[in-house]
Amino acid sequence: MTKAIKLLTALPQKQRDRLMELAREVSFPEDTRIFEAGGTADRFWVIRSGAVYLYQQVTPLRRVKVASLGAGDLLGWSWLFPPYQWDFTAEAFSPVRAYEFDGPAVLALCVEDPLLGLSLVRSVAEVLAHRLEMTRRQLLEQYELPRRSP
Protein backbone atom coordinates (compact mmCIF):
# COMPACT_ATOMS: atom_id res chain seq x y z
CA MET A 1 0.00 0.00 0.00
CA THR A 2 1.23 3.49 -0.82
CA LYS A 3 1.75 5.99 1.97
CA ALA A 4 -0.20 9.25 2.24
CA ILE A 5 2.10 12.26 2.04
CA LYS A 6 1.58 15.92 2.81
CA LEU A 7 2.61 18.04 -0.16
CA LEU A 8 4.17 20.98 1.66
CA THR A 9 6.20 18.90 4.09
CA ALA A 10 7.41 16.66 1.24
CA LEU A 11 9.08 19.58 -0.54
CA PRO A 12 12.59 20.72 0.39
CA GLN A 13 12.48 23.87 2.55
CA LYS A 14 13.80 26.25 -0.11
CA GLN A 15 11.30 25.02 -2.71
CA ARG A 16 8.46 25.05 -0.18
CA ASP A 17 9.27 28.68 0.66
CA ARG A 18 9.24 29.64 -3.04
CA LEU A 19 5.92 27.88 -3.59
CA MET A 20 4.38 29.52 -0.52
CA GLU A 21 5.13 32.94 -2.01
CA LEU A 22 2.28 32.15 -4.43
CA ALA A 23 -0.15 30.97 -1.73
CA ARG A 24 -3.39 32.80 -1.05
CA GLU A 25 -5.48 32.00 2.03
CA VAL A 26 -9.08 31.04 1.24
CA SER A 27 -12.02 29.51 3.07
CA PHE A 28 -15.06 27.49 2.04
CA PRO A 29 -18.24 27.17 4.12
CA GLU A 30 -19.60 23.71 4.89
CA ASP A 31 -21.42 22.08 1.93
CA THR A 32 -19.67 24.26 -0.66
CA ARG A 33 -18.89 22.57 -3.95
CA ILE A 34 -15.26 23.55 -4.52
CA PHE A 35 -15.05 22.08 -8.01
CA GLU A 36 -16.96 19.67 -10.20
CA ALA A 37 -15.73 16.84 -12.41
CA GLY A 38 -15.24 18.07 -15.96
CA GLY A 39 -14.74 21.70 -14.96
CA THR A 40 -11.64 23.73 -15.81
CA ALA A 41 -8.74 22.94 -13.47
CA ASP A 42 -6.53 25.99 -13.07
CA ARG A 43 -5.68 25.91 -9.37
CA PHE A 44 -5.07 23.66 -6.40
CA TRP A 45 -5.26 23.87 -2.64
CA VAL A 46 -3.47 22.60 0.43
CA ILE A 47 -6.03 22.17 3.19
CA ARG A 48 -5.17 23.93 6.45
CA SER A 49 -8.24 22.87 8.45
CA GLY A 50 -11.58 21.20 7.86
CA ALA A 51 -12.59 18.28 5.70
CA VAL A 52 -13.22 17.86 1.97
CA TYR A 53 -14.82 14.85 0.33
CA LEU A 54 -13.98 13.78 -3.21
CA TYR A 55 -16.75 12.09 -5.17
CA GLN A 56 -16.82 10.08 -8.39
CA GLN A 57 -20.02 9.83 -10.43
CA VAL A 58 -20.31 6.11 -11.21
CA THR A 59 -23.75 6.12 -12.82
CA PRO A 60 -26.07 8.99 -13.75
CA LEU A 61 -27.87 8.54 -10.43
CA ARG A 62 -25.09 7.41 -8.13
CA ARG A 63 -21.91 8.96 -6.86
CA VAL A 64 -19.36 7.39 -4.56
CA LYS A 65 -17.21 9.12 -1.98
CA VAL A 66 -13.68 8.10 -2.90
CA ALA A 67 -11.61 10.14 -0.47
CA SER A 68 -11.77 12.28 2.64
CA LEU A 69 -9.13 14.98 2.81
CA GLY A 70 -8.00 16.98 5.82
CA ALA A 71 -5.26 19.23 7.14
CA GLY A 72 -2.09 19.12 5.04
CA ASP A 73 -3.70 17.26 2.13
CA LEU A 74 -3.43 18.33 -1.50
CA LEU A 75 -6.77 19.13 -3.13
CA GLY A 76 -6.58 19.04 -6.91
CA TRP A 77 -3.94 17.75 -9.30
CA SER A 78 -5.70 18.19 -12.64
CA TRP A 79 -4.14 21.66 -13.07
CA LEU A 80 -0.88 19.84 -13.77
CA PHE A 81 -2.03 17.61 -16.64
CA PRO A 82 -3.79 18.31 -19.95
CA PRO A 83 -6.69 18.61 -20.63
CA TYR A 84 -6.76 20.53 -17.30
CA GLN A 85 -10.18 19.29 -16.21
CA TRP A 86 -11.20 18.02 -12.78
CA ASP A 87 -11.47 14.24 -12.46
CA PHE A 88 -13.63 14.32 -9.32
CA THR A 89 -16.10 16.59 -7.57
CA ALA A 90 -14.91 18.15 -4.30
CA GLU A 91 -17.21 19.38 -1.54
CA ALA A 92 -16.45 20.91 1.83
CA PHE A 93 -17.77 18.55 4.50
CA SER A 94 -17.08 21.14 7.20
CA PRO A 95 -15.82 24.72 7.10
CA VAL A 96 -12.46 24.60 5.29
CA ARG A 97 -9.46 26.90 5.36
CA ALA A 98 -6.81 26.34 2.71
CA TYR A 99 -3.89 27.74 0.80
CA GLU A 100 -4.87 28.29 -2.82
CA PHE A 101 -2.33 28.22 -5.65
CA ASP A 102 -2.80 29.45 -9.20
CA GLY A 103 -1.84 26.53 -11.47
CA PRO A 104 -0.31 28.49 -14.37
CA ALA A 105 1.74 30.64 -11.93
CA VAL A 106 3.07 27.50 -10.22
CA LEU A 107 3.92 25.94 -13.59
CA ALA A 108 5.84 29.09 -14.55
CA LEU A 109 7.73 28.93 -11.25
CA CYS A 110 8.58 25.28 -11.94
CA VAL A 111 10.13 26.27 -15.28
CA GLU A 112 12.16 28.94 -13.48
CA ASP A 113 13.18 26.53 -10.68
CA PRO A 114 13.58 23.00 -12.11
CA LEU A 115 14.33 21.53 -8.67
CA LEU A 116 10.98 22.83 -7.45
CA GLY A 117 9.32 21.42 -10.57
CA LEU A 118 10.86 17.99 -10.06
CA SER A 119 10.10 17.94 -6.33
CA LEU A 120 6.53 19.06 -6.93
CA VAL A 121 5.85 16.53 -9.69
CA ARG A 122 7.32 13.70 -7.59
CA SER A 123 5.23 14.71 -4.58
CA VAL A 124 2.05 15.03 -6.63
CA ALA A 125 2.79 11.62 -8.20
CA GLU A 126 3.02 10.08 -4.73
CA VAL A 127 -0.28 11.69 -3.77
CA LEU A 128 -1.83 10.40 -7.01
CA ALA A 129 -0.63 6.85 -6.42
CA HIS A 130 -2.06 6.85 -2.92
CA ARG A 131 -5.39 8.39 -4.00
CA LEU A 132 -5.82 6.00 -6.91
CA GLU A 133 -5.25 3.09 -4.59
CA MET A 134 -7.79 4.47 -2.11
CA THR A 135 -10.31 5.12 -4.91
CA ARG A 136 -9.93 1.57 -6.16
CA ARG A 137 -10.55 0.23 -2.65
CA GLN A 138 -13.62 2.42 -2.17
CA LEU A 139 -15.09 1.29 -5.49
CA LEU A 140 -14.37 -2.36 -4.75
CA GLU A 141 -16.08 -2.04 -1.36
CA GLN A 142 -19.10 -0.32 -2.94
CA TYR A 143 -19.52 -2.95 -5.64
CA GLU A 144 -18.29 -6.07 -3.90
CA LEU A 145 -20.59 -9.00 -4.57
CA PRO A 146 -22.05 -10.71 -1.53
CA ARG A 147 -20.36 -14.02 -0.77
CA ARG A 148 -22.46 -17.14 -0.88
CA SER A 149 -22.62 -19.38 2.14
CA PRO A 150 -21.21 -22.89 1.61
Side-chain angles (χ1 to χ4, degrees):
M1 179 164 122
T2 59
K3 179 180 122 188
I5 69 159
K6 305 298 183 188
L7 179 68
L8 294 178
T9 57
L11 296 174
Q13 183 68 45
K14 182 178 176 185
Q15 281 68 40
R16 179 172 50 243
D17 291 345
R18 293 207 64 201
L19 180 64
M20 289 305 294
E21 291 174 7
L22 300 178
R24 180 173 83 96
E25 292 188 30
V26 297
S27 60
F28 301 100
E30 182 176 348
D31 296 327
T32 299
R33 184 164 288 177
I34 300 169
F35 57 80
E36 186 153 356
T40 300
D42 61 356
R43 62 199 63 245
F44 67 97
W45 301 263
V46 174
I47 299 169
R48 295 179 59 213
S49 66
V52 174
Y53 286 171
L54 293 178
Y55 295 97
Q56 179 70 58
Q57 199 74 34
V58 292
T59 70
L61 299 175
R62 181 160 182 190
R63 69 180 190 169
V64 174
K65 181 177 77 168
V66 295
S68 300
L69 307 179
D73 286 333
L74 170 67
L75 173 59
W77 62 70
S78 299
W79 61 275
L80 190 55
F81 307 105
Y84 308 108
Q85 292 181 324
W86 299 119
D87 292 315
F88 300 100
T89 296
E91 292 182 3
F93 179 71
S94 67
V96 171
R97 292 183 355 186
Y99 292 118
E100 181 178 83
F101 299 88
D102 176 86
V106 171
L107 290 172
L109 182 60
C110 290
V111 169
E112 180 185 314
D113 183 346
L115 182 56
L116 171 61
L118 179 61
S119 297
L120 186 63
V121 168
R122 281 184 174 165
S123 297
V124 170
E126 285 185 53
V127 170
L128 273 168
H130 179 74
R131 297 266 178 85
L132 289 173
E133 185 175 321
M134 298 311 295
T135 299
R136 179 180 171 273
R137 283 188 181 171
Q138 288 283 352
L139 291 173
L140 286 173
E141 287 176 14
Q142 291 288 325
Y143 292 98
E144 186 174 44
L145 296 174
R147 295 182 182 194
R148 294 183 186 178
S149 301

